[in-house]
Amino acid sequence: MKLLHLYHDIMNLYGDYANILCLKRMLEKNGEEAGIDRVSLSEDAILDEYDFIFVGSGTEKNQKVVLADFLKYRDQLKAYIASGKPLLMTGNSFEMLGKMITDGSGKSYDGLGLYDFTVTEERGRRYTADIIAKTDFLDQPLVGFINKSSMVDGVKAPMDTVTFGIGNKDGEMTEGVLDKHFYGTHITGPVLEKNPHFLCYIAGLILKKSPDDKPLAYEKKGYENTLRKLSERIN
């Protein structure tokens, strides 16, 4: 199994590297050899060679630096997503796949244009919140944390519905973007480590079967405790 961590050194806030490490561990526990290639700025990757691709969250400044380089992957990413292979982008990384990002000073940057949504960053303001969100592809909700300065407008197919926390923009309780097995979400934490059922789901996509070796008891307990504590705050 070949896993790709794109921009591992510059898009790696909130311990996001743990997403790909825990996925590698689960694949190996299920009898597969799994290697991680780490590719960053001014390097090149052939995306269709990989079974899974991950891009983590970065600062607003680093996101713009990466965007200038990321544009070279536009056609490859479009084909990769269309093929149905799993791609996970967390934090503000998935914002780069929209039409445009406008920063807090009003400067605009062309995105990859794979989707019609637009992103607007607000100067001097951040949106932070714990989150509970339900998806159509998981039996249990997701938990995690969001820390962003952006509003995302025009997402036609969100990844989840927020029951506690904040969505893509003010007044909207849907979050992220979903396309086949492309999962874009502002949820960090890291999201696969905090949600072992999501980790199992992604591993199952790569293995093309349900994993035989499931998450450890303490991982499940950690998720259950987090969900319980956040649920108590709803009321």
Side-chain angles (χ1 to χ4, degrees):
M1 299 295 178
K2 294 185 65 176
L3 314 179
L4 175 62
H5 190 175
L6 268 177
Y7 308 109
H8 61 97
D9 53 348
I10 193 169
M11 299 290 283
N12 193 25
L13 295 177
Y14 316 117
D16 268 353
Y17 67 92
N19 283 310
I20 201 159
L21 291 182
C22 68
L23 180 60
K24 179 179 186 292
R25 182 189 66 208
M26 173 158 281
L27 293 172
E28 290 174 342
K29 286 170 64 179
N30 281 273
E32 297 290 340
E33 292 185 7
I36 301 174
D37 285 349
R38 295 175 174 87
V39 175
S40 192
L41 298 170
S42 302
E43 300 173 332
D44 294 314
I46 300 174
L47 302 190
D48 67 4
E49 292 182 351
Y50 292 93
D51 301 290
F52 173 79
I53 298 173
F54 172 67
V55 188
S57 182
T59 65
E60 284 73 32
K61 179 180 179 180
N62 284 353
Q63 180 204 53
K64 309 307 181 298
V65 173
V66 166
L67 177 57
D69 187 80
F70 202 34
L71 289 166
K72 69 189 180 188
Y73 291 118
R74 184 189 184 280
D75 291 341
Q76 286 195 63
L77 274 169
K78 184 176 181 180
Y80 186 93
I81 293 169
S83 75
K85 288 184 176 182
L87 164 65
L88 175 64
M89 302 181 72
T90 59
N92 61 355
S93 63
F94 82 85
E95 297 174 356
M96 297 186 291
L97 272 60
K99 289 171 60 177
M100 184 174 294
I101 300 174
T102 303
D103 69 15
S105 70
K107 183 177 180 179
S108 294
Y109 301 80
D110 288 334
L112 272 67
L114 299 187
Y115 303 98
D116 289 335
F117 65 79
T118 58
V119 178
T120 304
E121 296 173 357
E122 297 195 21
R123 180 191 291 270
R125 182 176 181 184
R126 299 205 68 82
Y127 301 87
T128 61
D130 295 307
I131 188 170
I132 303 174
K134 295 182 178 179
T135 74
D136 291 335
F137 56 89
L138 297 172
D139 293 334
Q140 297 171 285
L142 294 169
V143 298
F145 183 71
I146 287 179
N147 184 345
K148 63 175 185 168
S149 67
S150 57
M151 293 284 106
V152 181
D153 187 46
V155 174
K156 295 179 180 178
M159 190 181 102
D160 51 65
T161 301
V162 178
T163 58
F164 177 73
I166 54 178
N168 281 328
K169 64 177 184 176
D170 283 338
E172 186 173 286
M173 297 307 286
T174 54
E175 191 278 324
V177 61
L178 175 67
D179 183 5
K180 294 184 174 63
H181 293 306
F182 161 47
Y183 306 91
T185 178
H186 282 115
I187 301 175
T188 57
V191 66
L192 294 185
E193 187 76 35
K194 293 184 74 72
N195 296 274
H197 54 300
F198 193 18
L199 173 61
C200 277
Y201 177 81
I202 294 292
L205 294 176
I206 299 170
L207 295 166
K208 296 182 172 56
K209 65 174 185 177
S210 179
D212 298 319
D213 198 298
K214 303 297 184 180
L216 300 173
Y218 78 87
E219 295 172 320
K220 294 181 181 179
K221 190 67 173 179
Y223 166 78
E224 292 167 358
N225 287 339
T226 301
L227 178 59
R228 185 181 70 254
K229 291 294 185 181
L230 294 182
S231 299
E232 289 172 354
R233 290 165 55 186
I234 294 177
N235 299 321

